[in-house]
Structures are given as C-alpha cells and as structure tokens.
Amino acid sequence: MTFTRMTLLATAAMALSVAGCANGTSGSVDQAGAPAPASSAAPASSASSAPASSAPVPSSSGGTRTISGTVTAGVEPNCLLVDDHLLVFEDEKLKAAAQEGATVTVTGRTEPGMMTTCMQGTPFVVTAIRAK
C-alpha cells in the first residue's frame, strides 16, 4: 500500500471518529443498532491539555573523556563506533582519521540525549583523535 493510500485511510478513519463524537452520542448502541441517547449524568472531567513534563536530558555527561579501541562500522551507513560509543564528528578533518579497522584514541564528551540516525551506541562528540 502506498504512502498516499495509507494517509487517505488514516484521514478517513479520523473523520469518521470525529463525526461520531460530534453528533452528541456517547458511543453506545442499542440492540437495534441505533445510537443510545446520551445520559444526563454530569460529563466526566476532561484530561488536562498541558503536556506531561519530563526531566530535561543533560546535554553532556560532564567533562572530557578519552577512549581507545578499534573503529568498527555501525549497522547504518556512515556510522562509526569504538566499543559502545558512536563517534560524532563536528570537524570533518577529524573524521578522516577514523577509518574502519583503525586503532584510535579519541577525546571528547558523551552526549546521551543526542538524536542520531545510527540506532546504536552512546553518542560521543569527538574533539581530538589519534591513530595508533
């Protein structure tokens, strides 16, 4: 099924569900299949529209670290790891030294809350690299 068809089906399903809410019925049906009248009881309190708050993710685990190991390819393209650390390069010149199979010592900081497309490893922002 194509993306357009899926979008169309999802939109139609949402429209039908909203239409059912708009006619004032409680959603229950009698035995004949007709909507049951809404009860005269007080409406249930609605949930708060404020989003649930969550604790902010720290931008860094604090401080500079140095790790050593062999650079391995991740499961996604252009993803490089040393042990369980995903190497993130802000400087492309540093990335040139991180070839798959090279033994390196990298200095940087972990960024556990950083979003990546690599799907594995704890992001490690590299500030220096030395090939052995």
Side-chain angles (χ1 to χ4, degrees), residues 97-126:
Q99 299 298 317
E100 184 179 351
T103 301
V104 296
T105 298
V106 291
T107 303
R109 65 188 184 282
T110 57
E111 294 282 347
M114 179 182 278
M115 300 287 285
T116 71
T117 58
C118 291
M119 308 297 220
Q120 69 186 114
T122 302
F124 187 84
V125 179
V126 178

Side-chain angles (χ1 to χ4, degrees), residues 12-94:
M14 186 180 342
L16 289 173
S17 111
V18 170
C21 293
N23 72 10
T25 63
S26 64
S28 60
V29 197
D30 67 11
Q31 289 181 346
S39 78
S40 61
S45 63
S46 63
S48 170
S49 62
S53 64
S54 61
V57 176
S59 63
S60 177
S61 66
T64 301
R65 294 184 52 202
T66 300
I67 56 174
S68 296
T70 302
V71 178
T72 58
V75 295
E76 299 292 329
N78 301 317
C79 297
L80 299 172
L81 296 111
V82 171
D83 295 328
D84 63 343
H85 295 89
L86 172 67
L87 303 181
V88 177
F89 297 92
E90 293 175 343
D91 183 352
E92 287 298 316
K93 293 176 188 174
L94 296 175

